[in-house]
Amino acid sequence: MILRFRGEKSKKGFTIIELSIVLVITGILATLAVTTYSALTKKAKRVQAKIALKHLAKAEYIYFSEHDSYTDDSIVLDFDPIVYDYYTISVEASQHDFTGKAEGNLDSDSTLDTWVIHKDGNPVSLILD
């Protein structure tokens, strides 16, 4: 049997400094995880805008091949902009050119994420939210 003297302390448990270090490291990792997740969700939503605009451009190309002009009537194009959750899609057209625009608020601030496409077929970002 080992006898302990009253002045001797047991070495069980963690010190407050060790616990503080673990909490700081956990907080840093959680912050990194949240910001990375937020950036990836915005990137995925932006893919939706690009796909919608490319779909719009293909519908315009088909319409142009049949009528020798572009149109801004989404019903005639058989293009339904309602199915896109994060962006509002609009189109302006003349006889020889069209401009499709996708605007959306990705993070509830006042800045709108804005993408455009012309008859060249490449979506371009004007403003990133």
Side-chain angles (χ1 to χ4, degrees), residues 2-128:
I2 300 175
L3 296 175
R4 286 197 179 148
F5 297 105
R6 289 186 184 216
E8 189 178 312
K9 291 185 178 180
S10 173
K11 290 258 182 181
K12 294 181 183 178
F14 299 103
T15 65
I16 192 77
I17 294 173
E18 292 170 332
L19 289 174
S20 299
I21 291 171
V22 168
L23 287 175
V24 167
I25 291 171
T26 305
I28 291 170
L29 291 175
T31 303
L32 289 173
V34 167
T35 54
T36 302
Y37 176 76
S38 175
L40 289 176
T41 56
K42 280 185 181 181
K43 186 175 180 180
K45 291 173 184 177
R46 287 184 183 125
V47 168
Q48 184 186 59
K50 292 177 189 178
I51 290 171
L53 289 176
K54 286 182 180 181
H55 177 73
L56 174 66
K58 287 179 183 179
E60 286 283 3
Y61 299 150
I62 292 169
Y63 185 85
F64 185 81
S65 70
E66 295 173 355
H67 299 94
D68 290 329
S69 68
Y70 294 106
T71 183
D72 56 1
D73 188 359
S74 62
I75 295 171
V76 171
L77 289 174
D78 194 25
F79 178 76
D80 189 11
I82 297 171
V83 298
Y84 302 103
D85 299 331
Y86 302 106
Y87 288 90
T88 302
I89 311 296
S90 62
V91 61
E92 295 177 6
S94 65
Q95 186 172 355
H96 300 292
D97 195 13
F98 72 92
T99 302
K101 184 186 278 189
E103 292 181 314
N105 195 345
L106 302 183
D107 56 4
S108 302
D109 62 2
S110 61
T111 306
L112 291 178
D113 196 48
T114 306
W115 291 81
V116 295
I117 193 166
H118 299 284
K119 69 178 183 179
D120 64 359
N122 295 319
V124 178
S125 170
L126 296 180
I127 301 170
L128 289 179

